[in-house]
Amino acid sequence: MTEAPNPAQMTPDPTAGLEGVVAATTTLSHVDGQNGVLILRGKTIEDLAGKMPFEAAVEHLWEDFSQVGDHPLRTAFGQARTAAFAVVPLLEDAAPELSVFERMQLGLAALPLKRGLPDAVAITGALPVFLAASHRMALGLAPVAPDSTLNTATDLLRMLTGTLPPEGHADALNRYLVTILDHGLNASTFTARVIGSTQAELKQAVLGAMGALSGPLHGGAPGPVLDMIDAIGQPENAEAWIGGALARKERLMGFGHRIYRTRDPRADVLKAGLRLIGAENPKVKLAEDIEAAALAALKRAKPNRPLETNVEFYTAVLLDAIGIDRTLFTPLFAVGRTPGWCAHVLEQQQTGKLIRPSSHYVGPQPV
């Protein structure tokens, strides 16, 4: 008689957060954490970010789906922004205590679809409009209508400020949006795929993904990086401040990653972009000095645990350098990641499979 398997031996450690569990087969992105490589549909992130605009990178990611339509994505996203601006009055009438992120979710929930644009185009094009309008409302300013002739990054900055941005700032934002386009089966992407597997509408999957992104363990790290940089203040303070933080067992924001066991390749992509625009910005030099001090201190404190710079560190410095308020970091993350969420939902729906994992019951038995 064969002995029954022990359920505890069959079940992944629940405290590991499903680490190592394969839950999807994808052609979209691959994260090689051991070697510090990020691949998006056959191209490394270094071949995409800084080499092509956001729209071209999205076209590359969406190549296997019928979301591009008959027009170039720059044109289609421009049309989508114009259509989305009709929803902005609803955001103005919303409760004043809603955050920018919550107003974006409200706008997306109200966004009419099936009006000549593929859903993924309409959703991706709408979120920059909702972000910029919501931020201006929070400042007591009138929303700025989109300019459909501009690319996404340029128009987003223009809608935020009311004026055309410097070309270098638009290029830097383009680089950031491409860098965060897709990144394996992270928490928000997995959420999107689960919702999409039920054959729910695409915008419902994106709304769910935004909910996952709102958590501080996923989309909230770049802001605290700036808080750390501000607290250190001067390069000569970095070593003592970092040493004190480590002695208090505090986490250094912007260092270490759940997947990468070496340097996050996106950090170098963003750092390279920062050098193109930030030579005169004293905070850039301060950030580089803090990075060097932090890496040295982490190596001394945890010699057997590789902790390298992650994407959040230079995300914070880059976005700050081009004038993005730190309260917008998570909303902007959603703008850049939405095409990836959409692609994963479309890919999952092609399989026709409902994602339905099992759980391991450890509660009391009936008496």
Side-chain angles (χ1 to χ4, degrees), residues 56-82:
V58 175
E59 283 186 337
H60 171 70
L61 190 68
W62 286 356
E63 188 173 309
D64 293 337
F65 311 110
S66 58
Q67 297 300 306
V68 176
D70 298 328
H71 302 290
L73 269 189
R74 174 167 170 158
T75 301
F77 282 158
Q79 294 171 343
R81 291 197 302 275
T82 299

Side-chain angles (χ1 to χ4, degrees), residues 193-265:
R193 285 192 81 121
V194 171
I195 296 173
S197 78
T198 72
Q199 299 298 317
E201 286 190 350
L202 185 57
K203 74 174 178 181
Q204 299 297 337
V206 174
L207 283 166
M210 290 180 71
L213 185 69
S214 69
L217 294 184
H218 187 15
V225 169
L226 287 185
D227 295 339
M228 176 181 71
I229 292 174
D230 290 343
I232 292 173
Q234 298 294 329
E236 58 269 22
N237 299 335
E239 187 172 349
W241 192 97
I242 291 168
L246 292 177
R248 294 188 297 273
K249 308 295 184 184
E250 295 175 2
R251 180 186 172 194
L252 293 185
M253 303 307 295
F255 299 91
H257 193 275
R258 177 72 175 267
I259 303 297
Y260 292 112
R261 293 299 175 260
T262 183
R263 190 175 178 86
D264 186 334

Side-chain angles (χ1 to χ4, degrees), residues 99-157:
S99 67
V100 169
F101 198 81
E102 289 168 327
R103 287 177 191 270
M104 290 170 65
Q105 291 175 300
L106 176 62
L108 179 55
L111 181 69
L113 298 176
K114 311 300 183 188
R115 294 193 174 186
L117 288 171
D119 288 358
V121 171
I123 292 167
T124 302
L127 286 184
V129 176
F130 299 153
L131 184 156
S134 299
H135 181 59
R136 289 182 66 85
M137 290 172 201
L139 298 177
L141 302 172
V144 173
D147 182 342
S148 63
T149 67
L150 299 175
N151 66 35
T152 300
T154 301
D155 204 24
L156 175 51
L157 291 173

Side-chain angles (χ1 to χ4, degrees), residues 291-301:
E291 180 189 25
L295 291 175
L298 287 168
K299 189 172 183 179
R300 289 192 300 269

